[in-house]
Structures are given as structure tokens and as C-alpha cells.
Amino acid sequence: MLTWEIAKVKQLCLYILCGLPFAGKSSLARALAKAVSAAYVELDAINSERGLGLDGKRISAADWDETYRIAYQRIDGFLREARSVVYDSASFTRAQRDVVRAIAERYGTPSKVVCVEAPENTVRARLVQNRKTRLRYDVRDDDFAHVLDNFQPPEDDEHVVCYDQTVPIGEWIKRNFA
């Protein structure tokens, strides 16, 4: 383990990923969780565990509610155990981020929003490419449009750090979390 990784293990935090679909949130989230020895909570993984969203099938509102409930329960459990958490979700509205932040506040745990920036043309190209490669879950066109239309960039009071993808993930993590 690198010295900067060891130092971060001792600093409890909830990292809330934020960004458009196909922005690169999961790649960054997994690397961040490893670098800071944090638990990793991912909505796509929970849906997969539940057998949802496979083959482009629509996930009902009730199923999404249950997926979020499970995610929040896991975050709560890890924070109760005094473990840092990386929450991998689009968190595309302030209200969504506030819900997760409130869990951290119950434990007096600081939170940081990690916003992954990517231009719309880039995320659209990645969506199209993913439909060919099927390397990750598809995002339905109507869901993709909903996130684009309703995205609320994080505000300064949310303790934000933004990743614009101009440097490699590992180097960026080291610069921002060392």
C-alpha cells in the first residue's frame, strides 16, 4: 500500500459519485474505493444481485425504490462500522445527494461529492459503443434523456471535487486524496 493510501485509510468519509451516464463514474469509483480502502456500494451491482435491468428490461419505480433502500442500508451499515464508503450512482440531483449525505451526518461523517465531468457528446458516444460491446448495463434512451434533462451540478457547499478526465485516474486520486 502506498504511503498516501495508508494516510487516507484513517480518514472516514462518504464519497458520493455524481455525473451523467457513461461519464466514467464507476471506473473512478472502483479506483477510489481501492485507494482509500473504502467500502463500495454500486446501484448497478445491487440491481444485478436482484436480477433487474438485464437485457434492457425496464426497472419499475418500485424496484428502483427497493434498490435505493438497499444501497442506503448498506451505506448506513458501513458508516456505523466506521468504514469509509464510495457510493457509485449518478446522484444527478441535489435531493438525491442530500439523502445520502444525511446518512453520513447521522454518524458525524464528512462527505465529499466526486463529480465526474464528461461532455454530452462523449457520454452519448459511449452509450452507443456500449450497445455494441455490452460491457456494462445499457441505459434506456428515455432514462438517459431524463438524467440529461434533470442533471443538477453539485454546488460548492456540497464539498465537491471534479474529475475532468484530463489526467489518469490514479494520478488524479493521488493529487486529490493524498
Side-chain angles (χ1 to χ4, degrees), residues 159-172:
H159 309 286
V160 182
V161 61
C162 292
Y163 176 55
D164 67 6
Q165 305 183 44
T166 58
V167 297
I169 289 175
E171 184 179 328
W172 183 85

Side-chain angles (χ1 to χ4, degrees), residues 13 16 20-21 32 43 48 57 67 76 115 119 127 136 144:
C13 187
I16 304 166
L20 298 174
L32 178 60
L43 288 184
S48 181
K57 292 180 183 168
T67 295
D76 185 274
C115 185
L127 170 69
R136 62 155 283 191
F144 189 85

Side-chain angles (χ1 to χ4, degrees), residues 42-55 59 63-64 67 70 74 136-137:
E42 178 192 19
L43 288 184
D44 284 345
I46 294 169
N47 280 334
S48 181
E49 291 168 17
R50 299 181 65 224
L52 300 173
L54 305 174
D55 298 324
I59 300 173
D63 279 331
W64 271 116
T67 295
I70 292 167
R74 289 179 185 181
R136 62 155 283 191
Y137 276 106

Side-chain angles (χ1 to χ4, degrees), residues 1-11 35 177-178:
M1 191 178 287
L2 300 172
T3 304
W4 64 273
E5 290 175 311
I6 293 169
K8 294 309 292 180
V9 169
K10 297 178 183 177
Q11 192 173 55
F177 298 99

Side-chain angles (χ1 to χ4, degrees), residues 39 48 52 57 60-61 65 79 83 99-100 111 124 134 138 141 153 158 161:
S48 181
L52 300 173
K57 292 180 183 168
S60 72
D65 289 345
L79 293 176
R83 288 190 63 193
V99 168
V100 182
S111 62
R124 283 187 184 281
R134 297 178 181 234
D138 187 32
D141 290 333
E158 295 185 78
V161 61

Side-chain angles (χ1 to χ4, degrees), residues 101-114:
R101 198 173 4 261
I103 299 169
E105 289 171 359
R106 282 199 301 261
Y107 297 98
T109 301
S111 62
K112 183 171 289 289
V113 173
V114 181

Side-chain angles (χ1 to χ4, degrees), residues 3-176:
T3 304
W4 64 273
E5 290 175 311
I6 293 169
K8 294 309 292 180
V9 169
K10 297 178 183 177
Q11 192 173 55
L12 188 63
C13 187
L14 170 61
Y15 302 92
I16 304 166
L17 272 287
C18 170
L20 298 174
F22 296 97
K25 295 179 304 297
S26 294
S27 296
L28 177 60
R30 285 188 292 271
L32 178 60
K34 182 177 179 183
V36 300
S37 298
Y40 179 61
V41 176
E42 178 192 19
L43 288 184
D44 284 345
I46 294 169
N47 280 334
S48 181
E49 291 168 17
R50 299 181 65 224
L52 300 173
L54 305 174
D55 298 324
K57 292 180 183 168
R58 177 175 291 285
I59 300 173
S60 72
D63 279 331
W64 271 116
D65 289 345
E66 179 63 8
T67 295
Y68 279 100
R69 187 195 66 73
I70 292 167
Y72 300 156
Q73 181 180 41
R74 289 179 185 181
I75 292 166
D76 185 274
F78 289 127
L79 293 176
R80 188 177 333 108
E81 295 170 358
R83 288 190 63 193
S84 289
V85 179
V86 173
Y87 176 52
D88 184 1
S89 171
S91 301
F92 64 93
T93 68
R94 171 77 186 234
Q96 290 172 328
R97 296 185 296 270
D98 285 347
V99 168
V100 182
R101 198 173 4 261
I103 299 169
E105 289 171 359
R106 282 199 301 261
Y107 297 98
T109 301
S111 62
K112 183 171 289 289
V113 173
V114 181
C115 185
V116 180
E117 299 174 331
E120 184 177 335
N121 64 330
T122 298
V123 297
R124 283 187 184 281
R126 290 176 181 169
L127 170 69
V128 170
Q129 182 63 25
N130 185 68
R131 287 184 174 161
K132 294 175 186 171
T133 64
R134 297 178 181 234
L135 293 176
R136 62 155 283 191
Y137 276 106
D138 187 32
V139 175
R140 296 170 52 95
D141 290 333
D142 55 337
D143 292 333
F144 189 85
H146 177 75
V147 175
L148 285 175
D149 293 344
N150 294 284
F151 185 78
Q152 297 171 340
E155 299 173 27
D156 291 340
D157 69 325
E158 295 185 78
H159 309 286
V160 182
V161 61
C162 292
Y163 176 55
D164 67 6
Q165 305 183 44
T166 58
V167 297
I169 289 175
E171 184 179 328
W172 183 85
I173 290 171
K174 186 174 179 180
R175 287 182 192 175
N176 287 278

